[in-house]
Amino acid sequence: MIQAILFLAAALIFVPIAVRLGLGAVLGYLAAGLAIGPFGLQLVSDPAAILHVSELGVVLMLFVIGLELEPRRLWAMRAAVFGGGTLQMLLCAAVLFPFGLLLGWRWQAALVGSLALALSSTAIAVAIMQERNLMPLSVGRSAFSMLLYQDIAAIPLLALAGALGVAQAGAHSNVSPWLQLGAVAGVILAGRFLAYPLMRFVAAMQVRELFTGCALLLVLGVAALMEKVGLSMGLGAFLAGVLLASSEYRHALEVDIQPFKGLLLGLFFIAVGMSMDLALLASQPLQVALGLSLVLLGKTGALWLTARLLGIEGRQRMLLALLLSQVGEFAFVVIATARSAQVLPAQDASLLTLIAALSMASTPLLLIVFDRWCKGSSEARPPDAIENEFAPVIVAGFGRYGQTVARVLLAAGVKPVVIDHGADTVDSARRFGFKVYFGDACSHDILHAAGIEHARAIVLALDDREQINHLAPWLRQHYPDLQIIARARDAMHNMELAEIGVHDIQREVLESSLKSARATLEVLGFDRFQAKTMADKFRRNSYRFLREMAAYRHNENDLAKRLKTAREHFERDMLAELARQDTRQATAGWQEEAGTDKK
């Protein structure tokens, strides 16, 4: 109980600080582990046991990822998994292998060490990709394919570490491959013919906690079976997730597993932080720093080359290389196996373990450097040359708002000139077949090059309200016949744009919010007509209020009072309208009954 409180308290202290500093949650968890571990405040003494338990977080994470991949999609990824994964492992190992020989290791030690260091951390990389929403992008899919291959490759790698040693490596090397294949076949058959009826039976009982228990039993049972036969627990959980991806209970499983996954994954990162041997770092700082640099540089270079060979373009190559540059959690197991089999000397194994742990902490920091480099690079990147298209519409900004506008125009046969200043956005859009020019849409030169003189309308879909406010007056002054359609962030921005003279202003979330309000009223028993009427009246009242209050927007106190008064009037009017509708319905019902009686 005390340890659980310590973990939660450390996470609550360090993770918000790391997030606030822009370092990411993973680095916060690692710092929390360092603080309470044996080389910090010594509040927890057995990080290895904690690490073993917390690996269930990785298992649950892979199960959830499997739920999002139906077997058909997984089969479509086979080339990326086995082609890209094999290429990445071989190139990384080829780069690191000579360094092992230079250190005086036997070729067996150099081979096992380089292959172990070639593995990347699924927990670190996937957590960061989910945090940055990279999973749907090609760089995210490629990285995940390689990680999936590594999970598979860890199994023969463990066997190799034992086979090359002079001592028995443990239970893993004694398990028959046929037994392992039988276990995988058993999971597939059970997932296909047993799990579905079991979940239907449990769901029919309408006891939510029982369904959660069933989901955990399913995942942990498969993981335990895989571990028993010497296979990766994560791989088994991923397989179970894929088999249940087509199930009608997929979303319920995902919702039930998420809290456990998040907690255990955080615990895993804390345990990694605790397991860092800072005493070794203090006694051999030069060796540790040199080893860490060699591993990171070697892996980054090999992964960059892999990305290039796989056709990944631009800075996405470096992003993929940095995402997978750390050493993975399976390396701890492989190195421990190699040590017990006397393939690796004990001191070298400890050094590699520390390098692996430090490399995990390095990834968030390297990505921060990468982000800053990209920002500087974006500013230095010259704008694209825009062809003389003389399009009738210019769309400034290709974010969520601008994308929808551009897609509707394209569907209507109108080809707009689309400009965005985000290099990643432009590169990503081009991969999906959109013609987007890189450049600053606020630049007068770029607008001239885009044919602003010939355009009939411009859509200001930029994220930055200041940029919109800066550009709109210039357009009004120099192109009075040009229709300006602008995105407003909120009501105040709407009034600012109205004062500038923008022709059409759309508050970006107004319509979606009104649709949600209508849906909520219908759920509560209002009929569709009443819900629509209320939403329509709210819209009209909101626009009328903005027009009437534009003159008072510079006086915040006065505006707040008027807003409160207007809101109270609107609510009274709507309640009175509802009462009138109820009276009319009741009267109509009474008249119908009276008419029936007369008949």
Side-chain angles (χ1 to χ4, degrees), residues 390-393 448 450-457 479 482:
F390 303 121
V393 181
H448 284 303
I452 189 72
E453 298 88 349
H454 306 281
R456 293 170 56 190
Y479 303 98
L482 180 72

Side-chain angles (χ1 to χ4, degrees), residues 227-305:
E227 187 183 34
K228 190 72 177 174
V229 299
L231 295 177
S232 160
M233 291 193 297
L235 182 64
F238 175 76
L239 189 59
V242 171
L243 291 170
L244 295 173
S246 305
S247 160
E248 63 268 34
Y249 303 109
R250 167 189 158 191
H251 295 294
L253 285 168
E254 211 167 339
V255 169
D256 286 347
I257 293 292
Q258 283 287 358
F260 298 98
K261 184 205 83 173
L263 278 174
L264 288 170
L265 205 55
L267 185 60
F268 171 79
F269 294 131
I270 290 176
V272 170
M274 288 191 300
S275 63
M276 291 185 188
D277 188 355
L278 297 186
L280 186 60
L281 178 62
S283 62
Q284 302 179 26
L286 188 61
Q287 290 91 329
V288 173
L290 186 61
L292 180 63
S293 302
L294 286 175
V295 169
L296 291 177
L297 287 173
K299 286 195 70 174
T300 302
L303 284 160
W304 185 89
L305 181 59

Side-chain angles (χ1 to χ4, degrees), residues 80 83-92 138-146 150 298-325 370 431:
T86 305
L87 186 62
Q88 175 265 322
M89 283 283 289
L90 291 179
L91 282 176
C92 287
S138 63
V139 64
R141 290 195 297 271
S142 298
F144 181 72
S145 299
M146 293 178 193
Q150 291 175 13
K299 286 195 70 174
T300 302
L303 284 160
W304 185 89
L305 181 59
T306 305
R308 182 186 175 90
L309 293 173
L310 293 177
I312 296 174
E313 296 180 352
R315 283 166 295 171
Q316 302 297 311
R317 293 175 195 156
M318 184 54 71
L319 177 59
L320 183 140
L322 294 178
L323 277 171
L324 302 185
S325 63
F370 174 75
R431 282 197 297 278

Side-chain angles (χ1 to χ4, degrees), residues 430-461:
R430 286 174 179 171
R431 282 197 297 278
F432 287 94
F434 291 105
K435 189 174 184 179
V436 181
Y437 293 103
F438 174 76
D440 181 4
C442 294
S443 164
H444 302 170
D445 292 338
I446 288 181
L447 287 175
H448 284 303
I452 189 72
E453 298 88 349
H454 306 281
R456 293 170 56 190
I458 182 169
V459 181
L460 303 182

Side-chain angles (χ1 to χ4, degrees), residues 486-517:
R487 160 196 191 177
R489 303 287 294 186
D490 49 35
M492 287 297 291
H493 193 204
N494 191 307
M495 286 194 278
E496 291 168 11
L497 293 174
E499 191 173 279
I500 292 170
V502 171
H503 302 97
D504 192 297
I505 307 164
Q506 296 295 330
R507 268 187 281 167
E508 56 186 16
V509 296
L510 177 64
E511 292 302 324
S512 56
S513 303
L514 287 175
K515 287 187 177 178
S516 297

Side-chain angles (χ1 to χ4, degrees), residues 54-84:
S54 61
E55 281 177 3
L56 290 176
V58 183
V59 169
L60 294 177
M61 180 182 69
L62 286 168
F63 176 74
V64 172
I65 291 173
L67 282 175
E68 297 172 358
L69 281 175
E70 295 179 1
R72 180 173 48 83
R73 288 183 60 195
L74 183 62
W75 178 250
M77 290 170 58
R78 63 190 184 283
V81 173
F82 293 99

